[in-house]
Amino acid sequence: MTIAPGSAPAAPAPRHPLDPDPVRATKARAVFALGLMAALTGLLIGGVVPATVALQLARQARREAYASGGFLTGAAWLRRGERLAWTGLVLVAVSLVALLVIGVVRLAEAPYGQDFAPHVD
């Protein structure tokens, strides 16, 4: 939008007295806390549960914030929580792949077949 030279920019519309005050969504803090728990416990494979709950809660919080018309804030907390939740899921995947590789290597090193004593033909 361009403003003609010499004209003042349009002032924002005044708020209606019955409009609610903008507040931070409570789910935004919950998403951040769950995402942090997921990132901290991701290597222990316990991060799957808080990460999934955080991602589901983030979807609900985004829908509620959109429906509120700007009166629910906390988008930055939601983004941080979602990133932490995805980080937790990635750490879980890394630890599962590492455990799988360790298991395959140990299985490959194990003797195959029945192991007889040296004096048995």
Side-chain angles (χ1 to χ4, degrees):
M1 176 169 125
T2 59
I3 299 174
S7 65
R15 278 187 48 189
H16 191 273
L18 296 178
D19 282 345
D21 290 330
V23 293
R24 183 179 304 155
T26 55
K27 288 184 181 179
R29 275 193 194 156
V31 167
F32 180 76
L34 287 168
L36 185 62
M37 289 286 295
L40 292 176
T41 60
L43 285 177
L44 304 174
I45 305 179
V48 173
V49 174
T52 351
V53 173
L55 292 174
Q56 290 298 321
L57 214 59
R59 285 182 58 197
Q60 291 175 5
R62 286 199 191 284
R63 269 190 254 129
E64 289 174 4
Y66 181 76
S68 74
F71 292 110
L72 281 178
T73 62
W77 286 92
L78 281 175
R79 278 192 306 274
R80 288 183 200 128
E82 283 179 319
R83 285 182 190 147
L84 287 170
W86 281 112
T87 302
L89 287 177
V90 166
L91 289 173
V92 167
V94 166
S95 63
L96 285 177
V97 167
L99 287 174
L100 182 68
V101 167
I102 290 170
V104 167
V105 167
R106 286 197 178 175
L107 184 64
E109 290 176 349
Y112 183 72
Q114 193 166 5
D115 191 20
F116 293 102
H119 66 280
V120 177
D121 286 337

